[in-house]
């Protein structure tokens, strides 16, 4: 049996379905991780508030990476982060706000919705998130250093392109812009990347080998950076093509079954 120093798992689409409910399968996965003393953690696009529910449930003993690998959280504090100046993005935020898009930005341990709208209320009602609203004015905005901005357009596909076009060209190289689809985007610092984050975490822990688990296109380099890449059954075909192991089941059940094969063989 090959022993790995680190098992790093994506969350949305990998551990959680769209309803984001924790089930008996998640409980079984948690128990198996504890039983086998697996060095398990998360590498996710989520910020601290979105990670906390999973951290409280799984109780990982290692740092957790959020903001697409750019921020390390441990014991309810930031260990390190790659932030960027908010000032050059003012026009983008103003444009998205005028189009009534959901804007959520992260500063340290805190996550703020830029303005209230119906889609924000939907997220509050369904998932109890993004409840803190801070409509920073231009002066306040210019003084901020951000860890992440998430923009979602619940109305029309493709309009987000008009928002991204307002970002100054000479500033774009300092950013990692992740398009999940034609309605949503994450913006982080260029160094905020799951693959780079995995390498940083391995160096911090002194880990020599790692497993990475994912489901989507933004996990391709993440899986490539690991010694063993696992794709769940519901993963994007392009991710499946680079994975070392393809789960027979989707989501948490797939991860549980794969870890059983690795740690019980």
């Amino acid at each position: 049996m090959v022993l790995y120093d680190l098992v790093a798992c994506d969350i949305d689409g990998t551990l959680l379905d769209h309803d984001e409910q924790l089930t008996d399968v998640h409980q079984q996965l948690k128990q198996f991780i504890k039983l086998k003393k697996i060095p398990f953690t998360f590498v996710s696009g989520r910020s601290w508030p979105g990670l906390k529910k999973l951290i409280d449930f799984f109780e990982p003993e290692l740092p957790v990476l959020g903001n697409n690998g750019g921020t390390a959280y441990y014991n309810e504090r930031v260990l390190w982060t790659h932030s960027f100046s908010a000032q050059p993005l003012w026009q983008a935020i103003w444009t998205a706000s005028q189009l009534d898009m959901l804007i959520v930005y992260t500063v340290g341990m805190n996550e703020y919705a830029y303005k209230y709208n119906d889609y924000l209320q939907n997220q509050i009602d369904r998932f109890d998130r993004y409840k803190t609203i801070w409509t920073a004015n231009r002066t306040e905005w210019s003084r901020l250093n951000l860890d992440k901005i998430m923009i979602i357009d619940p109305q029309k596909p493709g309009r987000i392109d008009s928002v991204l076009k307002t970002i100054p060209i000479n500033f774009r190289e300092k950013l990692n812009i992740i398009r999940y689809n034609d309605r949503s985007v994450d913006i982080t610092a260029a160094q905020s990347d799951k693959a780079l984050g995995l390498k940083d975490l391995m160096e911090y822990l002194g880990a020599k080998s790692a497993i990475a688990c994912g489901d989507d296109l933004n996990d391709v380099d993440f899986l490539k950076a690991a010694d063993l890449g696992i794709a769940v059954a519901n993963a994007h075909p392009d991710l499946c093509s680079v994975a070392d192991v393809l789960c027979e089941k989707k989501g948490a059940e797939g991860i549980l079954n794969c870890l059983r094969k690795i740690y019980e063989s």
Side-chain angles (χ1 to χ4, degrees):
M1 179 177 69
V2 178
L3 294 178
Y4 294 90
D5 299 321
L6 179 64
V7 177
C9 192
D10 173 56
I11 293 176
D12 294 287
T14 303
L15 278 183
L16 293 181
D17 294 332
H18 291 300
D19 62 8
E20 301 187 14
Q21 295 299 308
L22 293 168
T23 66
D24 289 342
V25 174
H26 294 96
Q27 184 64 43
Q28 292 174 43
L29 176 59
K30 174 184 176 179
Q31 291 173 349
F32 185 75
I33 290 169
K34 298 291 186 184
L35 176 66
K36 296 296 183 177
K37 298 181 180 179
I38 298 173
F40 184 87
T41 192
F42 305 116
V43 179
S44 172
R46 294 184 175 215
S47 302
W48 173 256
L51 289 167
K52 194 171 186 312
K53 174 182 176 181
L54 276 297
I55 291 172
D56 289 345
F57 181 84
F58 281 96
E59 301 175 317
E61 298 180 359
L62 303 177
V64 170
L65 297 183
N67 299 323
N68 292 306
T71 305
Y73 302 104
Y74 186 63
N75 284 343
E76 302 199 7
R77 64 186 180 91
V78 174
L79 282 182
W80 69 79
T81 191
H82 298 291
S83 60
F84 58 97
S85 171
Q87 193 276 330
L89 296 175
W90 172 255
Q91 186 63 41
I93 295 305
W94 185 86
T95 302
S97 177
Q98 293 301 301
L99 293 172
D100 206 30
M101 297 181 184
L102 174 68
I103 304 164
V104 178
Y105 59 102
T106 303
V107 182
M109 303 290 286
N110 300 308
E111 192 172 60
Y112 305 99
Y114 186 76
K115 63 177 284 188
Y116 178 85
N117 57 30
D118 290 342
Y119 187 76
L120 174 61
Q121 187 61 55
N122 172 272
Q123 294 296 296
I124 293 172
D125 292 342
R126 291 184 63 195
F127 304 112
D128 194 36
R129 63 187 174 204
Y130 313 145
K131 295 187 293 183
T132 303
I133 300 173
W134 178 17
T135 308
N137 60 39
R138 188 164 190 168
T139 299
E140 292 171 327
W141 187 261
S142 68
R143 295 171 179 167
L144 290 175
N145 285 312
L146 307 178
D147 299 315
K148 189 183 81 166
I149 300 175
M150 178 186 71
I151 303 174
I152 297 176
D153 186 356
Q155 298 181 23
K156 296 180 181 179
R159 292 197 306 171
I160 225 158
D161 291 329
S162 65
V163 174
L164 297 179
K165 286 178 181 178
T166 67
I167 300 175
I169 294 176
N170 61 354
F171 190 64
R172 292 179 193 177
E173 65 184 18
K174 299 180 180 180
L175 303 174
N176 183 15
I177 300 175
I178 301 175
R179 293 290 300 270
Y180 293 105
N181 50 52
D182 55 8
R183 292 179 182 268
S184 63
V185 65
D186 274 356
I187 301 173
T188 60
Q191 305 95 320
S192 295
D193 173 87
K194 286 185 176 181
L196 295 176
L198 178 62
K199 292 176 182 178
D200 287 343
L201 183 58
M202 290 180 69
E203 182 177 351
Y204 177 81
L205 297 172
K208 302 300 183 183
S209 59
I211 296 174
C213 312
D215 76 299
D216 212 344
L217 288 173
N218 66 318
D219 295 321
V220 169
D221 289 340
F222 176 47
L223 263 62
K224 286 182 177 180
D227 297 273
L228 185 72
I230 296 176
V232 288
N234 52 292
H236 191 285
D238 288 352
L239 184 69
C240 293
S241 70
V242 303
D244 301 298
V245 177
L246 301 178
C247 299
E248 296 178 1
K249 300 289 185 178
K250 67 179 184 178
E253 185 176 5
I255 297 299
L256 174 59
N257 290 345
C258 281
L259 291 182
R260 280 174 171 164
K261 290 179 181 179
I262 293 169
Y263 284 90
E264 290 184 340
S265 62

